[in-house]
Amino acid sequence: LSRATSPFLLDPSRDEGQPIYLQLYRTLRSAILDGTLAAGSRLPSTRVVATESGIARKTAEEAYAALEREGFVVRRHGSGSFVASVSPTSPKARLRGERRISRRARATAGSAACVEPQVVRPFAAGLPALDQFPLELWRRTVARCARRFDVGSMVYGDPAGLPALREAVASYLASSRGVRCDASRVVIVSSAQQGLDLAARLLIDPGDEVWCEDPSYYGTRAALTAAGASIVPVGVDEEGIDVTAAIRLAPRARAAFVTPSNHYPLGMTLSLSRRLALLEWARRHDSWIVEDDYDGEFRYDGRPLAAIQSIDTDSRVIYIGTFTKTLFPSLRLAYLVVPPDLVESFVNIRTQIDGHPNTFMQTVVAEFLTSGQFVSHIRRMRTLYHARRDLLVDSLRRNLGGRVELSLCDAGLRLTVFTSGSDRLLARRASERGLDVLPLSRLYAGSAKRNGLVLGYAGLTPEQITFGVEQLRKVLA
Ligand SMILES: Cc1ncc(COP(=O)(O)O)c(C=O)c1O
């Protein structure tokens, strides 16, 4: 039996609680259902299966007989056993595109582009320090809110978000990010990703040109692709997105999707002159600016520039913020600040997706914000991430020596190490050593790609950072 027929190579000790014939039967049945064993293909004889798997021939016979009884296998005297055509559209066949799905979906559904890290491994990008989260305080807040939970808490909520949370977010944004808004302009959503998707649905028609930083966050490109946008990749330099180049490339673009506080993933801050140029362009061409402020809270060197939204006098900016980095990712809560005349449309489209985010968790977060715990948590995390950033930079410089070129890392939860070799290959090698690194080249839409590895550090303990760099040294050696 070859590797290709491995479903037959049963390890009889695998599942001691089950009769062996049943294990073999189940393994083969799922291989047939998922298309691993294609309809019409010939199964090895029970004699071969028995010998190779070290089981009795009678046991293999029993499994084959059960498969035949249920119509998964056809046995022909003298010529052998064959896979019946039970499922002409097995999941594998579906993945090969043999079933019809929409063209729109085909452009986006083929890749798992927006799956985020589910395990804290070095250097999973974008995770906050879950090991330092004030869990006890959080649990007490949850418990307090749970005690107030009553019949009235079970109806549908306001699709724009829980009023108390909208108020709390508006006052937090005004004091900490300079964002100009009142609660009526805040829309609570499930994630920044949902914010990007809503903005794309609302602002973009299929075929519209949209400026996108190059490189950029994969979630941004996914949302734009789903909306049918024609993405115009615009290069970034030390001042952020090159607005002059963008105007040359596509002066009449419908929108610009940008990360001005901390470019994803290279870490530049969009300069004030470029912010003004962007606003002026948007005003002149009746275009929009989508400001993804996904981790603007965490700046370590220099003073943060206020959000573009705060200097927008023409209501051109849709501002997006998220609790993924400031609290934790599984919470799934984020917020938009939208121009007053767009609030109703944003909220209506939002109701067409899933109504509104879970009301109970909105209550908990509102309480966390109004009690002052949120701001003090952010302050503590800023100090912690600063130290973790310093540790990673020092450790990279010490271990990788002269070879190492780093992106800017004055802010945020990650940095990028530029590499000369193929970053995809390096990322695969890193993965074999237990690391989770993101190849920089994957984040480009245009052809001028650089190679590098995006390394998250904020969510890693000092030990994980040291271990990770040690492994990385071996990968890059
Ligand atoms: C640039 C950028 N935008 C948006 C997000 C998504 O945040 P959320 O978890 O709220 O969807 C991330 C997450 O890593 C990000 O890096």
Side-chain angles (χ1 to χ4, degrees), residues 449-471:
K449 298 186 198 315
R450 285 197 75 181
N451 281 284
L453 301 173
V454 180
L455 310 180
Y457 55 78
L460 305 181
T461 61
E463 294 71 34
Q464 284 173 311
I465 292 178
T466 309
F467 167 81
V469 172
E470 181 59 25
Q471 297 305 311

Side-chain angles (χ1 to χ4, degrees), residues 116 191-193 196 217 259 264 292 294 322 324-325 332 334:
E116 299 289 353
S191 59
Q193 185 60 37
L196 292 164
Y217 181 54
T259 50
Y264 180 93
D292 181 0
Y294 62 103
T322 177
T324 286
K325 321 287 180 186
R332 301 287 75 205

Side-chain angles (χ1 to χ4, degrees), residues 243-426:
V243 179
T244 311
I247 293 175
R248 216 170 33 243
L249 284 166
R252 294 188 193 291
R254 200 86 284 282
F257 278 59
V258 288
T259 50
S261 307
N262 176 22
H263 172 262
Y264 180 93
L266 299 181
M268 304 85 170
T269 308
L270 188 65
S271 66
L272 183 59
S273 59
R274 296 244 176 118
R275 288 171 190 241
L276 294 169
L278 201 54
L279 283 164
E280 173 56 19
W281 160 79
R283 192 188 58 73
R284 199 140 15 100
H285 291 93
D286 195 19
S287 304
W288 300 101
I289 298 166
V290 177
E291 175 171 28
D292 181 0
D293 194 24
Y294 62 103
D295 68 359
E297 283 81 1
F298 302 109
R299 171 158 292 277
Y300 318 117
D301 305 309
R303 266 193 68 73
L305 282 181
I308 301 186
Q309 197 270 3
S310 69
I311 50 169
D312 170 23
T313 51
D314 202 37
S315 287
R316 296 272 150 208
V317 176
I318 285 84
Y319 174 91
I320 304 180
T322 177
F323 290 113
T324 286
K325 321 287 180 186
T326 47
L327 290 174
F328 52 91
S330 72
L331 187 60
R332 301 287 75 205
L333 281 176
Y335 39 88
L336 307 179
V337 178
V338 302
D341 54 327
L342 291 189
V343 173
E344 192 179 335
S345 308
F346 261 103
V347 172
N348 285 347
I349 293 192
R350 205 247 179 276
T351 63
Q352 292 160 15
I353 300 172
D354 65 346
H356 60 80
N358 177 307
T359 307
F360 179 69
M361 290 322 281
Q362 293 189 68
T363 315
V364 175
V365 174
E367 176 133 344
F368 210 68
L369 262 74
T370 45
S371 68
Q373 300 299 344
F374 181 69
V375 170
S376 54
H377 174 57
I378 291 179
R379 212 175 295 130
R380 218 163 58 79
M381 291 303 105
R382 195 180 294 128
T383 309
L384 181 77
Y385 299 167
H386 191 162
R388 289 183 173 183
R389 193 263 328 245
D390 288 351
L391 174 62
L392 176 61
V393 170
D394 282 355
S395 165
L396 286 170
R397 292 208 193 288
R398 242 180 309 108
N399 281 274
L400 309 182
R403 277 168 303 174
V404 69
E405 185 195 349
L406 304 182
S407 69
L408 286 172
C409 48
D410 300 341
L413 315 186
R414 38 114 254 279
L415 55 76
T416 298
V417 184
F418 295 104
T419 60
S420 44
S422 154
D423 53 10
R424 292 177 196 230
L425 182 66
L426 292 170

Side-chain angles (χ1 to χ4, degrees), residues 21 50 56-63:
Y21 96 89
R57 176 142 185 213
K58 188 164 146 285
T59 309
E61 261 303 327
E62 272 179 273

